[in-house]
Each structure stands twice: as C-alpha cells, then as structure tokens.
Amino acid sequence: MEQVQNIVSDRELQGSNLQTQEYFINVGPQHPSTHGVLHLKIKLDGEIIEDVDPILGYIHRSVEKMCEKLSYRQIIPITSRMDYLSAHINNQAVALAVEKAMAVEVPPRARAIRILMAELTRIGSHQLWWGVMGMDLGALTPFFWGFRDREMITEMFEETCGTRLTMNYIIPGGVATDVHPDFIGKVKNYIRHLRKKLPEYDEILTGNRIFIERTRGVGYLSPEEAVSFGCTGPTARGSGVSCDIRKWHSYDGYDKLDFNEVLFNEGDNLARYKVRIKEIWESLRIIEQVVENFPEGEVMGKMKKVIKLPKGEFYQRVETARGELGVYIVSDGGNTPYRIKFRSPNFSNLSVLKKIVVGSKIADMVATMSTLDLVIPDIDR
C-alpha cells in the first residue's frame, strides 16, 4: 500500500478520483547489430503520451563523407545500405543523377528493366511493412503471408542480380547485366499470383474490426502539417498531399505508363495503410504494362570507363517505397564528388512523430509508427 501511494501524484484524471504521475520511459535502443536502432524517450501521464523525443546516432556511418571519397560507380553499393528495402530505387537515383550530368542516353531495355526492378522493390517493401504492421498490432498471420509472397520477388532478384537485398544492379548508363532468361515469365506468374492473394490481405487485416478500431482516427496528420514537416510518400499521400515523383518529375519512362497516384484525405493511420495497399495494385499495373511491351536491345549506354562529371551542381529525385529520395551532387570536375547530399524520406517522416502521437495512448504510438514505415539506416546516415 505504501508503494502504491508513493507513485501517486496530485494530478487527477478528468471525471475520476484516480490520480497519476508523470514519468519517463525509454523505448529502445535495441541491440546495435539490428538493422535499425531507434531510441524514443517518452514522457507519460499514465498511458497518455505528453512528449516524445526520437534520439538517433546509434548506427551513424558517415555515408555522405564516404561517398565523397569514392568513384561514382563505387557509390552505388553504399546507397543500397541506406533504405535497404528500396535498394534498387536508391541505386537508380544516383545513376540518374550521373546520367543527367553527363547527358548519357540510357537504352530503352535498360529503362524498362529499371522500372520493373523498382516496382517489384516497392511491392516487396510494402509486403514486409504490411506483415510487420499486422504483427505490431497483435496479428501474427500477416507476417507469414507477407513474407511468403515477398519471397517470390527476392528469388527473382537473386537470379538476375546475384543478391536478395542490397542489389548494386542499377548503375550509371543502364543496368549491370541483362535479366535472367526466366525473369519475364516469372514476373507474369507473380502478377497472377498476387492478384489472387491481395484480396486475402483485405480479408484478414484491412476489414478486421479490431484493426479498424486501432487505426481509424488515430495519428491524424493534416495536409498542412505534412507539407510543413516535409513528409513525402504514403505518409503525405494519406493526408491528401500529391507528391508522387513518378508523376511530378517523371524519370526512366514513367510518363509513358498508365497508373494513378494513390491519395486518401483522412490523414489517419488507416489512410496511410490504405495508400500502401492500393500502391501495390498500381505497381502491378505498371509492371504488367512493361512486361507486355518489353523492348529488345542493349542494357548499357555509352559510358566512359572513368566517370568524371563536369563542374557544377546536379540534383535528381526518385520515388522510393517511403517517399522522395533526392541526390544532390557538387562536382569539381574530378572522378569523385566534391560534395554529395542525400535527402532521405524517412528523416522527414520521422520528424512528424511527436506532432501526431502526443495526446494518444502509448499503444496507439506503436500503430502510428508502423504507418510511418520507418527504415532507420535511411535516417541515421
């Protein structure tokens, strides 16, 4: 009884005689060998969050400074290790920046392969997110289903690229090698497979009453706040902010494809969830169009063995699975960048966490963080 009295303060809950006390808890950091280490210092009043402070730096690797000592081809493997679930698209961003600076024309077949790899990457990333979000909210089955279907993508990547996660496949001038002879056939089979499985995703999770109660109206982010914090990707599009780089600043032939930018206006966790589910359907549409009109020809443009960018500043943006990735290069004419800067989507998306979780319960914060879909190495560069 004495111990209970010691933790009680003079703060009184509205409509109740129960009194609470402010206290702090630490969520994370997990073991530094894990893929992403995030430390949240949370101020609580009972179960209600009063403040949250994200603390970074546990896996900082000086990625940008490393890239400034490497050739433009050597930068590609480094970018795979930022948002490792968008590795192909990260590689594509650097390749496009170099090609823009050097005015290099990429062959049509290479551009088609890039789009296929990028959209398969997006689907695979969203599947991992879907499975993990279900598990975060107490549903274990989505985790197994998501990884089951994602495994088919990683196997296709491994056949062509020789690796399953950090690809290093899209390079300045095109792609490293042509796709495996069975690649297009397997992609077509995968489209048929996933079109049958996606309704099951909705049946087990999207339409689940408990899941809806945990996400609807929780973690609200207004369009103005999304723009103010620099949010992009599904995080912003769940608040009705149009920001799909594939539409606004098309690259590698996206302007020739028929697909929709997915927008929801509710701004809550459920809206951000629905954006990613619908984006899987749109990625399937894109892939289907590319494989039906898959061009023949070379997969590498005319690139010098030693790449030297002309003096100047160059910027390229792409749409990763989590939003806008920008690559800013300052060249002094040498074979390494004088300065390189990555504008990562995860950093801006994390910055909005405090705004949307203060006042909610700590259990709701878990759901909200899941809908931000954070990959920490992309933040802690």
Side-chain angles (χ1 to χ4, degrees), residues 3 26 78 83 97 127 133 163 180-181 187 193 196 207 227-228 232 236 247 255 290 293-295 299 372-373:
Q3 185 179 5
N26 292 288
I78 303 296
D83 177 359
Q127 285 172 331
M133 179 167 185
T163 184
H180 190 275
V187 169
H193 168 81
K196 293 178 181 177
V227 172
S228 176
T232 56
K247 287 285 190 181
D255 55 328
V290 174
N293 300 281
F294 195 58
V299 297
L372 296 180
D373 191 17

Side-chain angles (χ1 to χ4, degrees), residues 27 65 91 232:
V27 177
K65 285 302 174 187
N91 299 166
T232 56

Side-chain angles (χ1 to χ4, degrees), residues 65-79 94 98 172 305-309 329 334-337 340:
K65 285 302 174 187
M66 288 170 61
C67 290
E68 289 166 12
K69 302 297 182 183
L70 299 172
S71 72
Y72 291 99
R73 286 192 178 92
Q74 292 172 327
I75 291 172
I76 297 295
I78 303 296
T79 62
V94 175
V98 172
K305 290 184 178 180
V306 178
I307 299 176
K308 292 184 178 181
L309 268 57
I329 298 174
N335 60 355
T336 63
I340 190 165

